[in-house]
Amino acid sequence: MNNVVLDPVNIAVVAPTGAGKTALISTVCDFIKSKTNKADGFILEIEGKAAKELNTFKMKLRANLSAKNVKFDSATIDPTSECTHYDFSISLQNENLLIKQPFKILDIPGAFINDPYSHQNSSEYEMFIKHLDSSRILWVPIDAAVLMEAKTQDQITASELIRRVSNLEDFVKEWSDFAAKNNKTDYCNFVLLKSESYFSKDVLKKYNFCQKRFDESYKSIINKVKESNSEDKLSCVAVETIGCVRVNRSKWNTKAEEPSCDVDFDVLGTQQEIKGVDALLTDVMKVARANINEQIEIVKTTKTTEADDLHKLKDELITKYQEQIVRLAKNKTDLENKKNELQKDEKDLVNKNIWDKFKDFFNDNIKILRKEINVTKLHIQSIEQEIESLNSKIETISSMQEKATTALSIVETEIDAYNGLMEKLCSLTSENISSEYYRQL
């Protein structure tokens, strides 16, 4: 089987402390893991330190959600303190070919967004900026409770500060500016988390109000991205994470230098179906499909070129050795004619009646003729050996021709495999995503 691994695609996650970055990543990984099979084309890869930290986070989260009708205490979940990579891949496979598109998600400390100027000189912050600038996909997790529970103007102002909308605008703008340079379609997803109270079929009024509140709060960011790069695709996605919660009440402190909003959540449970992740992964699939399609076209072109080169080489070899065979056959014929003439001259001299009289003269000429005959014989032997060598080469060429024909057959089979893979790739559409959770901006 031919395995092709494409260059990794970076996914940046940008949000302040407590927005739910790690919870979102954990939910995405759990969703992909549940879909890991050849039919769906998903392969999950999380190793080493990243896997350990993700498992620790999930254990703490689930311990907090273990009992029914309990209150969720977010204080028990430690904020992310260092950058951590999480890797997964989307692969397409048939009997002869596997094309793998890796993705790299970088989870960052929310402090980078809360106060970027205090971390500008750290190596981890530099790593984050480098990852952000090279990302094809940007996820912006939003604490929907902090967005929605703000009722008064003071609370709305505090909500903007808590969600660091101004800082987010700078980071999203930088991402969009760099994305504009790669001449490809990039995707920015605003992901509403802790939003189960607002995104449900039985609370349509709240759902519409949440959409309106989001549009108002993030309008400047959306407009700047569209101004910077019209090719970027923006969307708003609501995701129910592995710890689904419902807002019970909120308590605001708007007078402090650092405003806060303490929200009490009722636990909805951890066993219900995760919703919204399929919509979030729609854009991931679009990037994978575009890259895999591009790679298939490259390989098909390469294989077609190889087939053309084999045809050309075969024709050149056949032409070259046929010309040599004709030339050597002509040389052999000429030498045999010369040999016959010399032998005739020798015979004529021997039969002359004046042999005795000119014995010495003819003896000298006969010796010369015999030498020439011997030289001609040697030439003929050399020509015969060369012809035998050419016959051997002709057999080798015939063998090479057969191998070239076999290689061409293999190339045609591989091209058929790529065409089959393209049909399979085109079948991976987003028709069945949770449309009520996905909205193109």
Side-chain angles (χ1 to χ4, degrees):
M1 177 181 292
N2 294 324
N3 294 336
V4 179
V5 180
L6 306 180
D7 292 334
V9 172
N10 288 341
I11 299 177
V13 186
V14 177
T17 302
K21 296 183 296 298
T22 308
L24 173 62
I25 295 170
S26 180
T27 300
V28 169
C29 290
D30 272 11
F31 179 86
I32 294 175
K33 197 170 185 179
S34 70
K35 297 290 184 180
T36 300
N37 61 67
K38 290 184 180 179
D40 290 333
F42 284 102
I43 297 177
L44 177 67
E45 292 179 340
I46 300 179
E47 299 177 356
K49 182 179 179 182
K52 182 178 179 181
E53 292 195 2
L54 194 60
N55 287 332
T56 301
F57 170 82
K58 285 158 60 177
M59 287 173 60
K60 288 183 179 180
L61 181 60
R62 284 174 174 151
N64 209 313
L65 300 168
S66 59
K68 292 184 178 179
N69 299 321
V70 299
K71 302 298 182 185
F72 175 68
D73 183 8
S74 60
T76 62
I77 309 299
D78 296 330
T80 301
S81 60
E82 58 183 19
C83 292
T84 308
H85 278 101
Y86 299 91
D87 300 341
F88 70 93
S89 64
I90 296 175
S91 301
L92 284 176
Q93 177 178 345
N94 63 12
E95 294 180 357
N96 301 314
L97 177 67
L98 183 144
I99 299 182
K100 181 177 179 180
Q101 175 61 75
F103 288 86
K104 288 185 174 292
I105 305 175
L106 181 66
D107 191 12
I108 64 168
F112 288 177
I113 310 302
N114 296 352
D115 185 11
Y117 301 105
S118 298
H119 301 85
Q120 284 182 339
N121 296 324
S122 71
S123 58
E124 289 214 332
Y125 185 85
E126 291 178 359
M127 179 200 304
F128 156 58
I129 294 298
K130 184 177 180 180
H131 185 91
L132 175 69
D133 293 343
S134 61
S135 292
R136 293 284 310 280
I137 299 171
L138 175 63
W139 291 344
V140 184
I142 299 171
D143 189 330
V146 175
L147 172 68
M148 288 296 295
E149 294 304 306
K151 304 295 192 296
T152 68
Q153 185 57 51
D154 286 346
Q155 291 173 353
I156 292 173
T157 301
S159 172
E160 296 275 326
L161 291 173
I162 294 170
R163 289 180 286 111
R164 297 300 196 276
V165 175
S166 177
N167 291 355
L168 282 175
E169 185 175 315
D170 294 336
F171 287 109
V172 175
K173 178 69 165 54
E174 174 166 343
W175 169 81
S176 184
D177 288 343
F178 274 87
K181 300 175 183 179
N182 65 23
N183 296 320
K184 294 181 179 180
T185 300
D186 299 290
Y187 298 89
C188 177
N189 305 121
F190 294 91
V191 189
L192 290 161
L193 304 177
K194 308 173 194 175
S195 58
E196 292 79 1
S197 299
Y198 319 109
F199 284 80
S200 177
K201 293 179 181 179
D202 57 352
V203 285
L204 186 59
K205 186 176 180 180
K206 281 190 175 182
Y207 175 93
N208 291 334
F209 182 66
C210 188
Q211 294 280 16
K212 181 181 178 182
R213 178 65 66 85
F214 165 79
D215 291 342
E216 291 173 350
S217 184
Y218 291 89
K219 181 179 180 180
S220 62
I221 296 180
I222 294 170
N223 289 339
K224 283 201 172 183
V225 171
K226 290 182 176 180
E227 290 172 3
S228 173
N229 184 7
S230 60
E231 295 300 317
D232 290 342
K233 303 299 182 184
L234 292 89
S235 63
C236 177
V237 187
V239 173
E240 295 181 359
T241 61
I242 56 176
C244 295
V245 292
R246 180 175 56 213
V247 174
N248 182 26
R249 69 178 184 83
S250 59
K251 182 180 179 181
W252 290 86
N253 181 356
T254 62
K255 303 302 182 182
E257 182 178 346
E258 185 69 32
S260 63
C261 177
D262 296 326
V263 182
D264 288 340
F265 295 99
D266 291 330
V267 176
L268 298 181
T270 59
Q271 301 303 318
Q272 62 190 52
E273 179 184 359
I274 297 173
K275 296 179 181 178
V277 177
D278 53 349
L280 181 63
L281 289 176
T282 297
D283 292 338
V284 175
M285 285 297 300
K286 288 177 183 177
V287 172
R289 183 170 62 182
N291 289 352
I292 291 173
N293 180 44
E294 182 180 347
Q295 181 63 29
I296 286 176
E297 292 301 324
I298 291 172
V299 176
K300 283 176 67 177
T301 301
T302 301
K303 293 298 182 182
T304 302
T305 303
E306 289 177 359
D308 292 341
D309 290 343
L310 284 171
H311 275 300
K312 184 178 179 181
L313 176 62
K314 180 184 75 173
D315 294 340
E316 287 177 352
L317 288 173
I318 291 173
T319 301
K320 175 182 177 182
Y321 286 107
Q322 282 179 340
E323 290 174 353
Q324 288 190 19
I325 289 171
V326 172
R327 178 175 55 79
L328 289 172
K330 184 177 182 302
N331 289 344
K332 178 182 177 183
T333 301
D334 293 343
L335 288 170
E336 286 178 342
N337 291 336
K338 184 175 181 181
K339 170 187 171 184
N340 293 332
E341 289 176 1
L342 290 171
Q343 287 176 336
K344 183 176 180 301
D345 290 343
E346 180 186 21
K347 185 176 179 181
D348 290 343
L349 287 172
V350 171
N351 292 331
K352 292 285 185 182
N353 292 328
I354 57 173
W355 167 254
D356 293 335
K357 190 173 182 179
F358 300 101
K359 182 177 180 180
D360 294 336
F361 172 77
F362 284 117
N363 279 338
D364 292 339
N365 280 277
I366 287 172
K367 289 178 182 179
I368 293 171
L369 286 172
R370 284 176 176 168
K371 285 182 180 179
E372 289 186 8
I373 289 171
N374 289 334
V375 171
T376 302
K377 286 180 179 178
L378 290 175
H379 277 299
I380 291 172
Q381 289 177 357
S382 175
I383 291 294
E384 289 173 344
Q385 290 176 355
E386 194 168 350
I387 289 174
E388 287 179 4
S389 175
L390 279 173
N391 287 332
S392 175
K393 288 182 180 180
I394 291 170
E395 291 178 1
T396 301
I397 288 299
S398 298
S399 175
M400 289 176 65
Q401 183 176 358
E402 292 178 1
K403 290 180 180 179
T405 303
T406 302
L408 288 173
S409 176
I410 293 173
V411 168
E412 291 168 355
T413 301
E414 289 184 355
I415 291 175
D416 289 340
Y418 283 110
N419 289 330
L421 191 58
M422 279 294 296
E423 293 178 3
K424 182 176 178 182
L425 180 64
C426 291
S427 69
L428 290 174
T429 66
S430 56
E431 293 177 357
N432 298 321
I433 66 170
S434 303
S435 58
E436 69 269 21
Y437 288 91
Y438 184 89
R439 180 169 64 95
Q440 195 74 35
L441 298 175

